[in-house]
């Protein structure tokens, strides 16, 4: 059965990407590599990494990329998002970060970045950077279960993979329910709903990435630099 | 104190006059409007003028937004291509008719109004275009109210009035992290009781009857009454045909057709 690797937050770091590729080769049995956004960042020149992602070397897993928060900010600032500009970035990190981000990416890469999708739906899994609500949606192990359930419901999937918070976690909805009464001009009716068996999985970011086996649903949280032979801190 | 909530007037003057007089007869002086003052109907200026004269606080509806911003809604706002074409026709006509002053008034309307723990929106707290249907996923419905930090959420946009109380909600989760992958922590969240009140539509009802609808909320008792008000439907239908709007809008008012143009996907949020 296929095994996925889920990576995010490379932020222009080609050496890190190569280390992850080496790690994946040593692990074997991984046949699909998803890069869930934040390919770029303000801290370093991202052009070499962007070249490599578009033109993989022989023997490397070809990455399937979506855009993340940093790409969205760059594309907004460069006029690819209608009237919107990189105001959230400007407010959080200042004008210098907006300029550094623009300098990190050659304009020749913009069309490729602008063509990246918001997310992938594979089997019953949504692979997203933030969530179905927004590319910047920050989901972590402490997020409100109601919010997590809402994000799953919006995509109508059973598994949601998120990267925005950079945290590795798996929150499994394990039970519960809700009652409601609806009254309209035709009368009143009672509705009852149970919490569906669904999961939100944080894949990590940078050095920390995740492996997922959609057949067994086994997740392994990995960190580059971990012993090559070790199986990761997985669980069933 | 009882207050009235009206929505989706849709440039239907006869319906608005009938509803306001019904409210006046009950001695209710606090009225809140959830937007869609214009669109579909033949009297956009008259309806906006009346709302302004009566100083009725109002949120901005999906039509109000589109009239001032230009039609930039994605197709998801319309349940079918035919509906979209008719909608565009009505949009263009309304944009031509509306005075600059009334356009500026619509542009000045807020997305939401709040009174203590009551929140007033057009579609949902997320968007003027999101439909909160009566039987939508209960957790998603509760999330809208909870994220907006309200006890009762008043919305419109679906043109079908309802009151939904969400209660006895519990979600249990198991949380696993790399620090402790085997011993998963269990957590339980008890959900608060919340209400969604849809005010229906004054000027373009789609609940299966031709009567205008609105709601009265008694803050002391918490009671919500869904009101149906008959009005001179033919007066509006004649005006629709006279001004050259698509006759299907008149047909719809005459039939109060329930499923004429219903959006199917309540959870879809336009990403524009
Ligand atoms: Zn409406
Ligand atoms: Zn509307």
């Amino acid at each position: 059965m296929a095994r996925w690797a889920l990576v995010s937050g490379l932020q222009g770091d080609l050496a890190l990407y190569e280390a992850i590729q080496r790690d994946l080769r040593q692990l074997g049995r991984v046949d699909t590599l998803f890069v869930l956004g934040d390919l770029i960042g303000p801290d370093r020149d991202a052009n070499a990494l962007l070249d490599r992602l578009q033109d993989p070397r022989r023997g490397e897993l070809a990455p399937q990329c979506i855009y993340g928060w940093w790409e969205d900010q760059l594309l907004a600032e460069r006029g690819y998002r209608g009237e919107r500009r990189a105001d959230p970035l400007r407010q959080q990190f200042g004008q210098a970060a907006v300029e550094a981000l623009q300098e990190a990416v050659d304009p020749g890469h913009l069309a490729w970045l602008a063509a990246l999708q918001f997310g992938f739906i594979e089997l019953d899994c949504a692979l997203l950077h933030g969530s179905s609500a927004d590319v910047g949606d920050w989901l972590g192990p402490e997020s409100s279960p109601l919010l997590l359930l809402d994000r799953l419901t919006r995509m109508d999937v059973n598994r949601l993979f998120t990267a925005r918070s950079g945290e590795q976690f798996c929150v499994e909805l394990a039970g519960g329910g809700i009652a409601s009464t609806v009254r309209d001009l035709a009368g009143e009716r009672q509705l009852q709903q149970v919490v569906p068996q669904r999961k939100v999985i944080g894949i990590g970011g940078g050095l920390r990435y995740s492996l997922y086996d959609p057949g067994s649903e086994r997740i392994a949280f990995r960190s580059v630099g971990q012993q090559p032979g070790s199986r990761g801190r997985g669980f069933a | 104190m009882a207050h009235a909530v009206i929505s989706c007037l849709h440039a239907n003057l006869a319906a608005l006059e009938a509803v306001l007089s019904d409210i006046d007869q009950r001695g209710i002086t606090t009225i809140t409007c959830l937007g869609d003052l214009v669109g579909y109907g033949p009297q956009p200026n008259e309806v906006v003028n009346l709302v302004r004269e009566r100083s009725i606080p109002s949120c901005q509806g999906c039509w109000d937004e589109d009239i001032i911003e230009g039609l930039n809604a994605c197709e998801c706002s319309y349940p079918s291509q035919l509906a979209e074409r008719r909608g565009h026709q009505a949009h263009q006509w309304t944009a031509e008719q509306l005075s600059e002053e009334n356009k500026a008034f619509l542009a000045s309307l807020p997305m939401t109004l709040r009174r203590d723990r009551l929140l007033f929106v057009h579609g949902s707290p997320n968007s003027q275009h999101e439909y909160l249907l009566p039987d939508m996923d209960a957790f998603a419905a509760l999330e809208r109210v909870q994220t907006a930090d309200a006890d009762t959420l008043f919305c419109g946009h679906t043109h079908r009035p309802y009151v939904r109380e969400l209660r006895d909600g519990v979600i249990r989760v198991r949380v696993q992290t790399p620090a402790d992958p085997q011993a998963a922590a269990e957590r339980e969240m008890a959900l608060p009781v919340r209400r969604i009140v849809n005010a229906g539509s004054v000027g373009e009802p789609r609940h299966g009857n031709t009567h205008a609808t609105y709601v009265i909320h008694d803050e002391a008792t918490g009671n919500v009454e869904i009101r149906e008000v008959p009005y001179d439907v033919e007066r509006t239908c004649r005006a629709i045909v006279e001004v050259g709007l698509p006759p299907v809008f008149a047909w719809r008012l005459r039939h109060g057709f329930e499923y004429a143009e219903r959006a199917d996907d309540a959870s879809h949020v336009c990403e524009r």
Side-chain angles (χ1 to χ4, degrees):
Chain A
M1 185 74 193
R3 220 161 38 139
W4 303 347
L6 300 133
V7 172
S8 182
L10 297 170
Q11 301 222 0
D13 193 340
L14 178 59
L16 171 60
Y17 179 64
E18 288 177 331
I20 291 173
Q21 285 279 4
R22 270 197 304 279
D23 201 41
L24 295 176
R25 241 187 334 271
Q26 280 163 7
L27 283 165
R29 286 182 48 235
V30 174
D31 61 5
T32 314
L33 169 61
F34 293 105
V35 181
L36 304 187
D38 287 358
L39 323 170
I40 63 171
D43 296 335
R44 62 181 80 73
D45 185 297
N47 292 303
L49 175 66
L50 292 174
D51 285 335
R52 178 70 72 83
L53 292 171
Q54 291 165 73
D55 192 11
R57 284 198 180 152
R58 196 194 307 231
E60 269 182 7
L61 278 173
Q64 302 199 46
C65 305
I66 61 172
Y67 70 84
W69 189 80
W70 286 101
E71 287 78 40
D72 193 51
Q73 293 302 306
L74 176 69
L75 291 165
E77 191 63 19
R78 294 286 196 179
Y80 284 80
R81 294 285 192 262
E83 300 289 293
R84 200 150 65 73
R85 291 293 171 267
D87 295 331
L89 169 58
R90 200 166 271 116
Q91 276 152 27
Q92 281 177 52
F93 298 96
Q95 179 61 24
V98 178
E99 276 152 31
L101 182 65
Q102 294 187 83
E103 273 162 35
V105 179
D106 191 282
H109 285 302
L110 289 173
W112 182 77
L113 289 171
L116 295 178
Q117 295 179 50
F118 179 73
F120 297 122
I121 304 282
E122 296 285 328
L123 309 172
D124 63 345
C125 304
L127 314 181
L128 302 167
H129 180 72
S131 82
S132 40
D134 190 73
V135 69
D137 204 14
W138 191 285
L139 304 180
E142 304 299 326
S143 291
S144 147
L146 182 63
L147 195 86
L148 297 177
L149 179 49
D150 172 67
R151 300 314 190 238
L152 284 156
T153 305
R154 287 195 204 203
M155 293 301 280
D156 198 20
V157 291
N158 291 318
R159 310 284 177 256
L160 190 156
F161 292 80
T162 178
R164 170 76 172 133
S165 68
E167 295 194 61
Q168 289 175 315
F169 64 90
C170 173
V171 175
E172 181 184 358
L173 301 172
I178 188 168
S180 63
T181 307
V182 176
R183 175 163 58 86
D184 59 17
L185 288 162
E188 193 174 280
R189 58 191 190 278
Q190 306 295 328
L191 304 171
Q192 187 72 40
Q193 209 180 310
V194 295
V195 172
Q197 296 294 313
R198 292 178 168 181
K199 287 177 186 170
V200 175
I201 296 144
I203 65 159
L207 291 167
R208 288 170 300 145
Y209 72 99
S210 297
L211 300 172
Y212 182 67
D213 178 340
S216 66
E217 292 199 25
R218 192 185 149 83
I219 301 159
F221 296 132
R222 294 229 19 119
S223 185
V224 173
Q226 219 171 337
Q227 281 302 307
S230 91
R231 298 176 55 213
R233 301 179 121 173
F235 44 79
Chain B
M1 187 195 71
H3 65 110
V5 184
I6 61 177
S7 185
C8 296
L9 322 181
H10 286 297
N12 184 339
L13 185 62
L16 178 58
E17 287 172 347
V19 163
L20 290 179
S21 104
D22 192 69
I23 293 169
D24 293 343
Q25 277 167 31
R26 278 169 176 71
I28 294 170
T29 52
T30 307
I31 306 174
T32 308
C33 173
L34 308 180
D36 275 3
L37 279 65
V38 302
Y40 299 126
Q43 293 114 353
N45 283 310
E46 292 85 339
V47 164
V48 174
N49 289 341
L50 185 50
V51 168
R52 294 175 64 190
E53 273 163 35
R54 299 270 312 229
S55 305
I56 298 171
S58 183
C59 318
Q60 194 179 67
C62 60
W63 276 85
D64 310 323
E65 182 199 18
D66 286 347
I67 289 295
I68 48 162
E69 302 243 313
L71 255 195
N72 57 0
C74 75
E75 322 77 69
C76 64
S77 300
Y78 294 101
S80 73
Q81 286 188 345
L82 186 62
E84 185 177 3
R85 236 184 349 264
R86 288 194 210 109
H88 280 209
Q89 235 174 304
H91 168 89
Q92 198 180 356
W93 182 85
T94 303
E96 282 164 15
Q97 298 298 312
L98 264 185
S99 69
E100 287 309 312
E101 196 186 327
N102 280 338
K103 276 187 200 169
F105 172 76
L106 294 181
S108 73
L109 297 178
M111 291 277 289
T112 62
L113 292 167
R114 181 183 288 275
R115 255 196 341 267
D116 303 320
R117 299 284 297 166
L118 310 180
L119 188 74
F120 303 86
V121 303
H122 178 67
S124 88
N126 294 336
S127 157
Q128 290 127 308
H129 293 266
E130 187 179 32
Y131 290 87
L132 299 185
L133 294 172
D135 38 17
M136 75 180 279
D137 183 285
F139 294 104
L142 183 66
E143 188 273 339
R144 300 298 183 278
V145 192
Q146 188 62 359
T147 300
D149 197 24
D151 287 342
T152 301
L153 175 69
F154 291 90
C155 63
H157 190 49
T158 69
H159 296 201
R160 294 161 69 201
Y162 70 85
V163 183
R164 186 176 191 183
E165 185 178 271
L166 303 145
R167 59 171 197 281
D168 303 330
V170 171
I171 305 178
R172 275 187 294 282
V173 293
R174 252 192 302 277
V175 184
Q176 297 163 314
T177 60
D180 202 2
Q182 303 305 331
E186 289 236 16
R187 210 148 49 91
E188 185 173 290
M189 182 191 193
L191 304 171
V193 178
R194 295 288 182 258
R195 272 206 301 185
I196 296 181
V197 178
N198 190 303
S201 173
V202 170
E204 227 261 351
R206 290 179 202 166
H207 62 288
N209 189 316
T210 58
H211 298 166
T213 58
Y214 76 98
V215 296
I216 296 172
H217 176 224
D218 188 320
E219 282 188 70
T221 64
N223 185 49
V224 177
E225 183 188 356
I226 301 174
R227 300 272 319 153
E228 269 192 296
V229 183
Y231 72 97
D232 188 349
V233 178
E234 278 312 312
R235 185 181 136 202
T236 303
C237 290
R238 275 195 307 275
I240 285 174
V241 176
E242 274 163 26
V243 301
L245 280 164
V248 68
F249 295 154
W251 184 88
R252 215 159 53 187
L253 288 181
R254 276 194 196 102
H255 294 80
F257 198 45
E258 190 178 4
Y259 294 112
E261 289 181 320
R262 182 168 70 92
D264 293 322
D265 181 5
S267 60
H268 180 92
V269 183
C270 181
E271 291 280 345
R272 78 200 154 89

